Amino acid sequence: MLKGSVTEDRLLGGRIVLRQGQDGYRAGMDAALLAAACDAGEGARVLEAGCGAGGALLAAAARRPGASFLGVERDSAAAGFARQNAQLNDLQDRVEVVESDVREPFGALGLAPFDAVISNPPFFDDPGALRAPAAAKRGAWMADGGLGVWTGFLLKAVREGGSITIIHRADRLADILALLAPKAGSFQIRPVLPHADAPAKRVLVRALKTGKAPLQLLPALVLHPREGAKHTPEAEAIFRGEAALPWL
């Protein structure tokens, strides 16, 4: 741990150093899963909406050495951490961070649409859904303008035929599909279960802009066994960077 309110954490089995605020939103399991689900190919340009301190952004860049990445983050402190982390991990040549809000039009960035976009949007639209969230975390937990603002930004930010990958609460799956469906298709859904005998808490959703293929429900990822190790072997391999979450 560093001095003050900043911690230094390790991702992908120690391959990535991540400095982030101790009190604000902190990159965790969702960021790791999102990075593992990023399947950008050689030469691809990838945008992450709401990159925070860069947990998913840098892990995805480490996993995909042939791609370049842009993180969009509205919180200046988090964006500063993300830039610092890109430098710390010698990824500054392939990872850029800009301060902007997804409520602003994508066109305001002055960039061509990307080959792939990824995001872990805030989980809640209604301030009443949370019991007095800490001020430092409110921006990461509350989707100002609703989930539709985030999906709308992602749809504008990706080229035709490009991929959109989102991790979110399982109970918002119907909303995600409905919001993306007017301009995207070829949906693939991977449930993420806390235990093999428990309902999914998260879903990873991948779609292609203008895609037309039938929806696919993929095998679930189980995170924890009921006894023994903290993570299942499959989850542990993903968190250590030894395996990815492929799209079939």
Side-chain angles (χ1 to χ4, degrees):
M1 182 176 294
L2 301 178
K3 292 182 179 180
S5 58
V6 179
T7 64
E8 187 170 284
D9 305 296
R10 300 276 173 168
L11 309 178
L12 296 183
R15 289 163 57 194
I16 294 293
V17 179
L18 188 75
R19 291 182 180 173
Q20 54 186 337
Q22 186 174 10
D23 298 326
Y25 176 80
R26 296 173 56 78
M29 190 174 295
D30 292 339
L33 296 177
L34 181 63
C38 177
D39 62 344
E42 186 75 20
R45 297 168 57 246
V46 184
L47 176 145
E48 183 187 3
C51 70
L57 187 72
L58 297 173
R63 286 175 172 276
R64 299 289 171 175
S68 61
F69 291 78
L70 175 74
V72 177
E73 174 56 51
R74 73 176 183 177
D75 181 85
S76 59
F81 279 124
R83 293 192 189 97
Q84 182 183 124
N85 288 325
Q87 293 277 346
L88 282 173
N89 292 281
D90 198 26
L91 290 169
Q92 65 275 12
D93 291 342
R94 293 194 296 115
V95 177
E96 182 184 357
V97 179
V98 298
E99 288 183 38
S100 187
D101 195 316
V102 298
R103 292 177 295 178
E104 299 296 326
F106 169 74
L109 295 177
L111 300 171
F114 286 71
D115 301 299
V117 293
I118 62 175
S119 188
N120 177 16
F123 282 169
F124 300 95
D125 297 348
D126 179 9
L130 288 180
R131 188 174 299 173
K137 296 184 179 182
R138 186 193 181 283
W141 284 100
M142 297 303 307
D144 294 333
L147 185 58
V149 167
W150 286 76
T151 53
F153 181 88
L154 295 173
L155 286 165
K156 289 290 187 182
V158 70
R159 64 168 174 80
E160 291 194 5
S163 65
I164 301 164
T165 304
I166 295 173
I167 187 167
H168 211 277
R169 289 164 36 202
D171 62 358
R172 297 301 304 272
L173 176 58
D175 297 324
I176 292 169
L177 298 180
L179 289 166
L180 292 176
K183 295 185 178 179
S186 303
F187 289 104
Q188 293 176 296
I189 302 164
R190 188 181 297 280
V192 180
L193 283 59
H195 300 281
D197 57 355
K201 294 286 188 176
R202 299 284 186 271
V203 286
L204 281 154
V205 178
R206 184 178 185 268
L208 300 181
K209 188 171 180 179
T210 67
K212 302 297 183 184
L215 182 149
Q216 291 182 326
L217 184 61
L218 303 182
L221 172 67
V222 180
L223 296 176
H224 309 288
R226 284 294 184 186
E227 297 179 355
K230 180 178 180 181
H231 299 121
T232 63
E234 295 79 9
E236 184 65 23
I238 289 167
F239 296 143
R240 293 186 62 82
E242 299 165 355
L245 275 169
W247 301 102
L248 305 180

